[in-house]
């Protein structure tokens, strides 16, 4: 089944403790991205990657890192999480960046930083 | 900066009604528009993708239209069912300096009661 898989689905952590949220897609997509969803602010892009080893900042990149060593994986790293990073996170992928390319989303990771 | 607005914010209808959800965007330089469904605690499910060169797309009881020049899209749901209850999000995709970023509206919360 074609899908985007995120882990973990739920995470509670303490301020400053490094964490990684994994994202993997099995559709051989080139384009991957991370979004966060907050009440009243909607979904906003954190980082994106157009291909292996090519990543760049989205609208809200502060406090996050990403890497794209393999086509299928695009982990999101929070080096020193803070309470304002409490949010619902989504990983997305699409075949390429273009008009005919449909975006597929993972199930989401609900992160709470205390 | 692209802004996406969805009207209404919430909608409650009896089962069987036909309904229309609206989405407007401020910058017509998009390459596609995608409608998603989000169920509580779950990820985003893609419903329809309309490329900028297209006027509409249909899938089952769903029909989405796009008027790029006026910055509007509508999602028409025929013969609504309680299972259609969810939050519906529209998102516009753009190339150029947006590098494939999706800009989302705040969503319409739909409740279909028996």
């Amino acid at each position: 089944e074609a899908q985007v898989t995120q882990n973990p689905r739920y995470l509670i952590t303490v301020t400053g403790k490094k964490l990684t949220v994994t994202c993997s897609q099995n559709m051989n997509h080139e384009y991957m991205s991370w979004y966060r969803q907050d009440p009243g602010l909607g979904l906003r892009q954190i980082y994106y990657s157009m291909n292996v080893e090519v990543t760049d900042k989205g609208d809200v990149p502060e406090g996050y890192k990403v890497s794209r060593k393999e086509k299928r994986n695009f982990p999101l790293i929070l080096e020193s999480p803070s309470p304002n990073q409490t949010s619902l996170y989504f990983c997305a992928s699409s075949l390429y960046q273009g008009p005919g390319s449909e975006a597929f989303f993972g199930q989401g990771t609900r992160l709470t930083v205390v | 900066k692209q802004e996406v607005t969805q009207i209404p914010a919430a909608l409650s209808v009896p089962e069987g009604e036909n309904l229309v959800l609206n989405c407007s965007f401020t910058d017509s330089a998009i390459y596609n528009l995608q409608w998603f469904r989000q169920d509580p605690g779950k990820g985003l499910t893609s419903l329809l993708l309309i490329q900028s060169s297209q006027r509409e797309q249909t899938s089952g009881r769903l029909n989405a239209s796009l008027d790029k020049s006026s910055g509007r899209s509508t999602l028409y749901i025929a013969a609504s069912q309680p299972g259609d209850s969810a939050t519906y999000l529209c998102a516009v995709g753009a190339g150029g300096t947006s590098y494939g970023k999706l800009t989302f509206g705040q969503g319409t919360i739909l409740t279909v009661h028996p």
Side-chain angles (χ1 to χ4, degrees):
Chain A
E1 180 190 353
Q3 59 186 1
V4 179
T5 303
Q6 294 178 228
N7 280 296
R9 293 287 313 280
Y10 303 92
L11 180 59
I12 301 174
T13 191
V14 296
T15 299
K17 185 176 181 183
K18 180 180 178 180
L19 66 91
T20 299
V21 183
T22 64
C23 173
S24 181
Q25 50 91 5
N26 62 1
M27 296 170 278
N28 202 37
H29 285 174
E30 296 204 344
Y31 188 91
M32 297 185 74
S33 56
W34 278 99
Y35 291 82
R36 61 178 288 174
Q37 185 177 33
D38 302 288
L41 296 174
L43 283 116
R44 295 173 291 167
Q45 191 185 58
I46 303 170
Y47 267 94
Y48 65 92
S49 169
M50 291 204 281
N51 211 329
V52 176
E53 302 294 358
V54 180
T55 65
D56 208 344
K57 298 175 182 178
D59 292 329
V60 288
E62 295 76 21
Y64 305 95
K65 284 176 56 177
V66 293
S67 68
R68 186 96 182 270
K69 295 187 172 64
E70 308 164 280
K71 193 179 226 184
R72 63 183 294 129
N73 296 322
F74 190 45
L76 180 69
I77 303 156
L78 285 72
E79 294 269 2
S80 182
S82 62
N84 65 11
Q85 292 178 298
T86 293
S87 186
L88 180 58
Y89 291 86
F90 289 103
C91 179
S93 76
S94 54
L95 185 58
Y96 60 95
Q97 180 213 149
S101 189
E102 185 178 8
F104 294 86
F105 281 72
Q107 291 292 83
T109 295
R110 185 166 293 281
L111 172 66
T112 302
V113 184
V114 299
Chain B
K1 179 187 171 189
Q2 178 75 270
E3 292 183 4
V4 180
T5 303
Q6 291 187 245
I7 294 173
L11 185 61
S12 181
V13 300
E15 182 176 6
E17 273 205 7
N18 301 324
L19 53 99
V20 174
L21 308 182
N22 296 291
C23 172
S24 63
F25 47 94
T26 55
D27 186 349
S28 62
I30 66 170
Y31 61 48
N32 63 25
L33 184 145
Q34 203 165 343
W35 281 94
F36 294 90
R37 169 186 173 136
Q38 184 175 22
D39 294 283
K42 299 199 174 177
L44 279 67
T45 301
S46 177
L47 297 173
L48 289 164
L49 169 74
I50 311 177
Q51 299 183 46
S52 59
S53 59
Q54 299 172 327
R55 297 284 295 185
E56 66 178 321
Q57 284 287 340
T58 298
S59 175
R61 293 183 294 110
L62 305 178
N63 176 277
S65 67
L66 174 64
D67 185 341
K68 189 179 157 189
S69 60
S70 68
R72 293 180 186 175
S73 176
T74 61
L75 178 66
Y76 176 83
I77 302 177
S80 58
Q81 303 170 358
D84 294 330
S85 299
T87 297
Y88 289 81
L89 296 161
C90 76
V92 296
T97 56
S98 293
Y99 296 102
K101 178 180 69 179
L102 290 175
T103 302
F104 284 82
Q106 295 279 356
T108 294
I109 302 171
L110 173 65
T111 304
V112 181
H113 47 89

